[in-house]
Amino acid sequence: MPALTPPLADAAPATERPRFVHQGIAFGCDYNPEQWDPSVWREDVALMREAGVDLVAVNIFGWAWLQGPDGDVDFRALDEVIELLHAAGIRVNLGTGTSSPPPWLTARHPEILPVMADGTTRYPGGRQAWCPSSPVFRRYALALVDAVARRYGDHPAVALWHVSNELGCHNARCHCDESTRAFRRWLREQHGTIDELNRAWGTSFWSQRYTDWDEVLTPRLTVSSRNPGQVLDFHRFASDALLEHHRAEAEVIRRHSALPVTTNFMVTAHIRDLDYWSWAPEMDVVANDHYLDHRLGAPRTELAFAADLTRGLASGEPWLLMEHSTGAVNWQPVNLAKEPGQMLRNSLAHVARGADAVCFFQWRASLQGSEKFHSALVPHAGPDSALWREVTELGAAVARLDEVQGTRVASDVAVLFAWEAWWANDAENRPTHALDYLDHVHAVYGALHDLGVATDVVRPGSDLSDYRLVVVPGLHLVRDADARTVDDAVAAGAHALITFGSGVVDEHDRVRPGGYPGAWRDLLGIRVEEFAPVLPGTALALDSGAGASLWAERMRVTDATTVVDRFADGPAAGLPAITRRTEAAGPGSGDAWYLGTLLDPADLRAFAARIVDAAGVRREPGASADVEITRRVGDGRSYRFIVNHGTDGVTIDARGAELVTGTVVDGRIEVPAGAVRVVREEGAA
Ligand code: GLA
């Protein structure tokens, strides 16, 4: 069976790409002036200057504003807005405007509307109602991009191109006839013959064997569960279809402009439709949108994970926080306002993890439309408000951090993460629905985070040779070649921590026989014979007294492997729960640790601390779940970020210049409850 093409982008090498160049850390927002009378624009620009805003995204949803049914594009209003911004020294992050087709277009061409898995159409009246594979939509969109890029391709105000908006936020998976045809074409490219497709999807089971490509459909709703190989390939196809759209817009822009091109990613907990490992190499600079999600157990830790992952997508380079919120969003069941100081903490937590821009959705709170109760920099209450004062304080704080721009976050720990594994793990039929992939990843990441361990989140298959510790949380799907990089890292002296459910299936979602985790059985010296998850609410105990939940499994170990802890009760009572194979890849190599259950948070933290210490990984003194401490370094400079989310002040050893308050730190720094401090460390490299 041929290996599926790994989702590697055929993009220009990074060195040949235009770079996003900006004076210091950018501070800005989405600006949707089409909602306002031109008299408001002038006040807006004056307030932007007051707040220190220097990068503004416009024309994000501009299509209906710019172009009518006759096809003519009227740039007069956009010209005026761009000139106003330019005159005020504010740079423009220019949208192509194609995010949402105007009603005249969908009325004329209803075939561009997306179709859901149940065969129902999604109609205009919201946003992003278009099929990613529609050639008709593409034609109209590219014509608009061409007009916009011709007009502003070398405008001195424009700093960056912003393709569409959050591609795939709502329309990633379309099942219309056009998408079905495109899916078949994609499958032919990947699998070659219908026999290979049958083998890859295991269609011998349940009488699913295909005899012709025309029989193959997108995974529409069925009366039972669907073929998981088909669902997985559809996820890949859907991600590629939107990437192709991005690429098409970017190509048009590049015909008229030498400026950098990006689009805003959604590296976040609730959207998982795009494999950003394949997208990232096509970005001139990586940009992300992030909103705190209060439906999660630890929203702040998720922010840190998303920021580390975005930095991974940027190959460690600085990236842009393109959107976050000053306060509440409007799309969660209960939309929490931020506490005083929380906006600053959230913003600088992103900077601490590599962001070189702090931008928001949106500038001025809408009075109408779906997002009128979404927070903004200028709230409904206007500038005479506590929120506006916090915005101006944040603008000033960001300006004081300008010198941090361009530095990078250093880390000795790699956490492997993959969207493909997410799709494969969270399938319809699986051992337990009580634990999703991302929850598993967050649990393990959270333990490292709370220990003050700096982590890079990287793509499976990345070069791991510079890391002291490689962590593989629940990486259900992994290619053989990618799995070997973990073995190689261990052979080179790194420790590895692999947790349950990892390495079970290959890229075709096919189980590796002989005992789990097939991909790393030999490295770990274990053989899991049977999964034995437990019901939510069932407590598991280990011999050491540690507590666990949700997952147990029946495992045997080889002679070379030490049992660190055993299940004291539950379906695997008496069997190993945690193992360690010392010098797992021969003399001088690192140790391979395996965790076969979901430890309770404090026990997981203690276990992680043991491995971190064994691997010789540094923990930031003073860091905890409430106090994030990270470093950005470069050009002989080192900046220590201390973000105190807690209710108590903390004192940390430090020496140098503190940038937020502009004070000298001579040995110790007090960081009050809720405050952020950034120390340019003296004598540090
Ligand atoms: C996304 C979109 C914005 C806005 C925000 C609201 O990030 O890009 O247009 O809808 O969500 O949180």
Side-chain angles (χ1 to χ4, degrees):
M1 199 184 298
L4 272 183
T5 315
L8 275 177
D10 183 20
T15 44
E16 294 170 19
R17 301 187 150 272
R19 293 182 70 85
F20 173 67
V21 181
H22 195 76
Q23 199 75 41
I25 307 276
F27 183 56
C29 54
D30 275 21
Y31 182 37
N32 299 301
E34 56 271 32
Q35 305 175 86
W36 305 98
D37 185 85
S39 61
V40 181
W41 301 347
R42 278 144 187 93
E43 184 192 334
D44 285 338
V45 170
L47 286 171
M48 285 175 189
R49 283 178 63 88
E50 184 182 322
V53 164
D54 59 9
L55 183 69
V56 160
V58 290
N59 198 36
I60 303 301
F61 291 96
W63 199 337
W65 196 40
L66 293 181
Q67 192 180 33
D70 57 6
D72 290 346
V73 186
D74 182 349
F75 284 112
R76 280 173 300 178
L78 186 55
D79 280 353
E80 191 178 337
V81 169
I82 291 179
E83 291 310 330
L84 278 173
L85 292 166
H86 186 45
I90 298 168
R91 306 180 80 208
V92 173
N93 172 15
L94 188 56
T96 55
T98 57
S99 177
S100 278
W104 60 258
L105 179 52
T106 44
R108 189 180 296 170
H109 289 291
E111 72 273 23
I112 72 174
L113 296 174
V115 172
M116 300 296 101
D118 64 359
T120 57
T121 299
R122 287 298 174 266
Y123 292 97
R127 65 176 182 183
Q128 225 177 44
W130 52 276
C131 159
S133 300
S134 163
V136 176
F137 175 81
R138 182 80 53 89
R139 200 174 65 238
Y140 278 91
L142 295 189
L144 180 68
V145 178
D146 189 71
V148 175
R150 272 178 200 277
R151 182 140 194 117
Y152 303 109
D154 55 7
H155 193 290
V158 180
L160 181 64
W161 285 98
H162 183 303
V163 168
S164 192
N165 186 60
E166 292 193 339
L167 284 160
C169 179
H170 310 283
N171 66 345
R173 281 168 288 158
C174 177
H175 297 260
C176 74
D177 291 346
E178 200 63 69
S179 292
T180 304
R181 283 191 287 273
F183 184 42
R184 288 179 190 143
R185 283 195 298 275
W186 185 93
L187 290 168
R188 284 179 100 122
E189 274 170 29
Q190 295 295 322
H191 298 282
T193 66
I194 199 78
D195 286 347
E196 289 300 346
L197 177 86
N198 279 312
R199 266 192 284 277
W201 289 4
T203 57
S204 307
F205 195 63
W206 277 10
S207 183
Q208 292 175 345
R209 175 166 293 278
Y210 295 99
T211 61
D212 190 278
W213 292 103
D214 287 345
E215 298 162 8
V216 181
L217 298 173
T218 60
R220 299 182 185 174
L221 282 195
T222 59
V223 291
S224 66
S225 53
R226 296 168 292 179
N227 180 304
Q230 181 185 7
V231 173
L232 177 61
D233 267 354
F234 186 61
H235 275 293
R236 291 176 172 132
F237 156 76
S239 175
D240 283 359
L242 277 162
L243 178 54
E244 201 182 294
H245 182 85
H246 170 86
R247 207 177 272 150
E249 288 205 16
E251 270 171 25
V252 173
I253 294 168
R254 288 184 181 121
R255 271 183 229 144
H256 306 294
S257 180
L259 294 165
V261 181
T262 192
T263 190
N264 44 346
F265 288 175
M266 299 164 287
V267 176
T268 176
H270 60 280
I271 294 181
R272 55 165 193 155
D273 283 325
L274 305 181
D275 181 354
Y276 287 128
W277 290 128
S278 62
W279 284 60
E282 309 228 2
M283 303 298 129
D284 292 335
V285 57
V286 167
N288 193 43
D289 296 351
H290 187 272
Y291 293 91
L292 278 187
D293 191 337
H294 295 285
R295 295 166 294 192
L296 300 171
R300 233 167 39 215
T301 310
E302 191 276 329
L303 183 158
F305 174 76
D308 284 352
L309 174 52
T310 306
R311 191 179 67 253
L313 290 164
S315 304
E317 297 278 336
W319 50 277
L320 311 178
L321 177 63
M322 197 68 98
E323 290 180 24
H324 70 314
S325 70
T326 59
V329 298
N330 68 329
W331 42 264
Q332 292 174 23
V334 177
N335 295 297
L336 301 187
K338 291 193 178 177
E339 299 154 13
Q342 193 181 0
M343 170 174 40
L344 181 112
R345 290 196 296 281
N346 290 165
S347 296
L348 298 194
H350 284 289
V351 176
R353 292 174 191 275
D356 268 4
V358 173
C359 301
F360 293 86
F361 174 86
Q362 61 174 332
W363 165 250
R364 188 184 275 276
S366 305
L367 302 183
Q368 292 178 293
S370 285
E371 302 195 277
K372 63 181 178 296
F373 294 122
H374 193 291
S375 59
L377 283 87
V378 184
H380 288 155
D384 183 11
S385 58
L387 194 137
W388 174 254
R389 284 185 281 280
E390 282 206 42
V391 165
T392 57
E393 278 161 27
L394 175 63
V398 168
R400 288 195 289 271
L401 297 186
D402 276 350
E403 61 178 89
V404 172
Q405 186 196 32
T407 53
R408 297 167 67 119
V409 177
S411 164
D412 286 335
V413 180
V415 176
L416 267 53
F417 174 86
W419 278 269
E420 283 190 311
W422 194 348
W423 298 330
N425 186 82
D426 290 5
E428 287 169 90
N429 290 343
R430 52 176 150 143
T432 175
H433 284 267
L435 186 67
D436 290 342
Y437 172 63
L438 201 62
D439 293 334
H440 188 156
V441 172
H442 284 164
V444 176
Y445 173 88
L448 296 163
H449 170 272
D450 295 356
L451 290 168
V453 171
T455 44
D456 287 344
V457 183
V458 303
R459 175 186 192 160
S462 306
D463 178 6
L464 301 170
S465 54
D466 284 342
Y467 294 103
R468 287 172 185 265
L469 173 62
V470 176
V471 180
V472 187
L475 191 74
H476 184 67
L477 178 152
V478 69
R479 291 173 161 73
D480 288 341
D482 294 350
R484 278 196 295 275
T485 61
V486 178
D487 297 62
D488 293 346
V490 172
H495 285 238
L497 166 61
I498 296 171
T499 72
F500 60 91
S502 294
V504 173
V505 299
D506 66 12
E507 68 269 34
H508 298 294
D509 198 39
R510 209 173 66 135
V511 172
R512 295 185 170 88
Y516 319 116
W520 289 297
R521 209 166 43 217
D522 294 342
L523 178 73
L524 294 160
I526 65 167
R527 213 157 69 87
V528 177
E529 295 180 2
E530 191 177 5
F531 296 147
V534 297
L535 293 170
T538 305
L540 293 169
L542 306 191
D543 280 357
S544 63
S549 63
L550 298 183
W551 190 265
E553 51 189 26
R554 296 180 173 136
M555 171 192 351
R556 314 264 163 212
V557 301
T558 64
D559 292 347
T561 298
T562 307
V563 176
V564 175
D565 214 340
R566 289 178 187 275
F567 290 102
D569 56 18
L575 296 175
I578 300 177
T579 65
R580 174 184 193 172
R581 186 163 177 216
T582 308
E583 298 198 316
S589 74
D591 297 357
W593 303 72
Y594 181 74
L595 175 61
T597 187
L598 183 66
L599 289 172
D600 293 348
D603 295 313
L604 184 53
R605 202 156 50 234
F607 172 56
R610 181 169 169 188
I611 300 175
V612 161
D613 293 345
V617 169
R618 178 186 161 81
R619 298 197 237 158
E620 284 294 344
S624 67
D626 279 343
V627 181
E628 289 186 79
I629 304 182
T630 53
R631 277 199 168 76
R632 287 186 64 164
V633 296
D635 293 336
R637 291 168 293 143
S638 171
Y639 299 93
R640 187 153 26 138
F641 283 71
I642 307 157
V643 184
N644 185 358
H645 301 278
T647 48
D648 297 318
V650 290
T651 306
I652 309 277
D653 289 346
R655 198 174 289 280
E658 200 289 306
L659 303 181
V660 177
T661 55
T663 50
V664 173
V665 184
D666 196 11
R668 289 170 84 65
I669 180 168
E670 305 280 334
V671 185
V676 182
R677 296 291 180 260
V678 181
V679 182
R680 187 205 307 125
E681 300 181 296
E682 227 168 62

